[in-house]
């Protein structure tokens, strides 16, 4: 009798295990993502929504800069992030490039700065040291504190290319390593100027118009606001199925609805 009871219990355990396996419960999986600090805020929104829909998935995001995202996509990260186009040498790495959003780059100043508009030429002259005082562009007298991103930053690469001063950044400019550091520098210094992703603009700083055009999503979409660039995710050739599904989700209706909150959808 005891043997029969044990056999029945074992059968019940096996059946329960089979039912669990057949119930569609997916195994836990972690997706490692790294790269551009400009893309990171969007990626964090992607991750939050995706993890809510798929509790078995965890998305780790490392804001380390576009260069790192490009160099380590398919190595340290299943998915890399870049806020600039790849160079010809980087394209030779065999990475898959997927544009998930379009972003404007906002030129920002301290909230108390009376200057609310600059031309592209004036911005270039400020960043190359031709214009050094706010009084030269209609502001209060005060030496302009130029803040840029560090070498290798996707935002810096795109900004210098669009404004046309590659390799000519003012000597002594403050080179910050993240969007947050630039915003903090602007808040602390009434004479500072910087640039960040349009999606990262908030009430702590002031985004100015460029050539009379406000840095607004509608103006980027319409082409009137010219300082804009793509947000790119990068993958290697052997992408795990769960990571591939996450990328597909970013490009689908749910992901692009998130993009549309502060950036420009690609669908």
């Amino acid at each position: 009798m005891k043997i029969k009871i044990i056999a029945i219990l074992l059968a019940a355990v096996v059946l329960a295990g089979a039912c669990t396996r057949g119930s569609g419960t997916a195994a836990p999986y972690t997706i490692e993502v790294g790269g551009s600090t400009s893309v990171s805020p969007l990626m964090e929104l992607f991750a939050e929504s995706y993890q809510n829909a798929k509790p078995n998935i965890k998305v780790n995001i490392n804001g380390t800069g576009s260069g790192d995202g490009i160099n380590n996509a398919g190595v340290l990260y299943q998915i890399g992030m870049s806020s600039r186009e790849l160079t010809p040498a980087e394209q030779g790495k065999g990475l898959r490039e997927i544009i998930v959003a379009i972003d404007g780059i906002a030129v920002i100043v301290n909230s108390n700065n009376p200057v609310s508009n600059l031309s592209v030429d004036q911005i270039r002259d400020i960043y190359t040291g031709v214009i050094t005082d706010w009084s030269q562009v209609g502001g209060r007298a005060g030496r302009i504190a130029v803040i840029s991103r560090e070498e290798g930053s996707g935002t810096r690469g795109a900004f210098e290319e669009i404004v046309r001063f590659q390799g000519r950044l003012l000597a002594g400019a403050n080179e910050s390593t993240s969007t947050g550091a630039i915003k903090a520098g602007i808040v602390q210094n009434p004479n500072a100027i910087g640039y960040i992703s349009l999606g990262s603009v908030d009430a702590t700083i002031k985004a100015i118009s460029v050539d009379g055009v406000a840095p607004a999503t509608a103006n980027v979409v319409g082409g009137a606001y010219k300082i804009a660039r793509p947000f790119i995710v990068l993958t290697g050739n052997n992408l795990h199925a769960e990571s591939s599904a996450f990328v597909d989700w970013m490009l689908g209706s749910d992901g692009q609805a998130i993009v549309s909150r502060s950036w420009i959808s690609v669908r």
Side-chain angles (χ1 to χ4, degrees):
M1 180 62 72
K2 289 183 178 178
I3 293 174
K4 186 175 181 180
I5 291 172
I6 292 171
I8 292 171
L9 291 173
L10 286 173
V13 170
V14 171
L15 180 60
C19 290
T20 300
R21 288 191 297 273
S23 66
T25 301
Y29 187 76
T30 298
I31 302 171
E32 294 292 341
V33 183
S36 170
T37 61
S38 294
V39 181
S40 291
L42 173 58
M43 189 60 66
E44 287 167 1
L45 294 175
F46 280 157
E48 179 182 9
S49 181
Y50 196 71
Q51 289 169 152
N52 286 338
K54 301 187 72 171
N56 61 304
I57 301 297
K58 179 177 176 57
V59 182
N60 284 336
I61 301 169
N62 306 276
T64 52
S66 292
D68 182 61
I70 294 166
N71 291 330
N72 285 304
V75 184
L76 293 179
Y77 315 122
Q78 284 107 44
I79 299 172
M81 303 180 289
S82 176
S83 55
R84 64 169 173 81
E85 301 282 359
L86 273 62
T87 66
E90 291 167 340
Q91 289 171 353
K93 295 177 180 291
L95 296 172
R96 181 185 175 210
E97 301 175 54
I98 307 105
I99 297 175
V100 296
I102 303 297
D103 179 52
I105 300 176
V107 177
I108 60 172
V109 297
N110 187 277
S111 296
N112 294 319
N113 191 323
V115 173
S116 58
N117 177 73
L118 291 171
S119 69
V120 169
D121 289 344
Q122 287 173 324
I123 295 167
R124 181 171 58 252
D125 285 348
I126 287 171
Y127 271 85
T128 56
V130 176
I131 293 174
T132 59
D133 196 283
W134 283 111
S135 62
Q136 294 174 262
V137 290
R140 293 187 296 259
R143 187 168 183 82
I144 301 173
V146 175
I147 304 178
S148 182
R149 282 296 301 272
E150 80 285 6
E151 189 70 41
S153 158
T155 308
R156 173 172 169 171
F159 186 73
E160 289 191 357
E161 180 179 352
I162 295 167
V163 182
R164 304 188 308 278
F165 68 98
Q166 299 103 310
R168 295 191 288 136
L169 177 65
L170 170 69
N174 183 333
E175 299 183 53
S176 296
T177 58
S178 70
T179 297
I182 287 186
K183 289 167 71 174
I186 297 293
V187 170
Q188 294 164 9
N189 189 339
N191 289 321
I193 187 171
Y195 54 87
I196 60 173
S197 163
L198 179 57
S200 296
V201 171
D202 58 30
T204 65
I205 44 82
K206 182 170 79 172
I208 65 173
S209 296
V210 177
D211 286 324
V213 180
T217 297
N219 290 334
V220 177
V221 173
Y225 188 82
K226 302 298 186 182
I227 307 180
R229 43 65 188 278
F231 276 180
I232 301 170
V233 297
L234 307 153
T235 66
N237 294 321
N238 299 312
L239 191 63
H240 190 280
E242 292 289 4
S243 297
S244 180
F246 182 39
V247 172
D248 290 342
W249 179 89
M250 295 180 207
L251 296 171
S253 57
D254 290 341
Q256 290 301 299
I258 291 172
V259 171
S260 297
R261 295 178 193 172
S262 300
W263 299 271
I264 300 168
S265 172
V266 295
R267 292 288 184 269

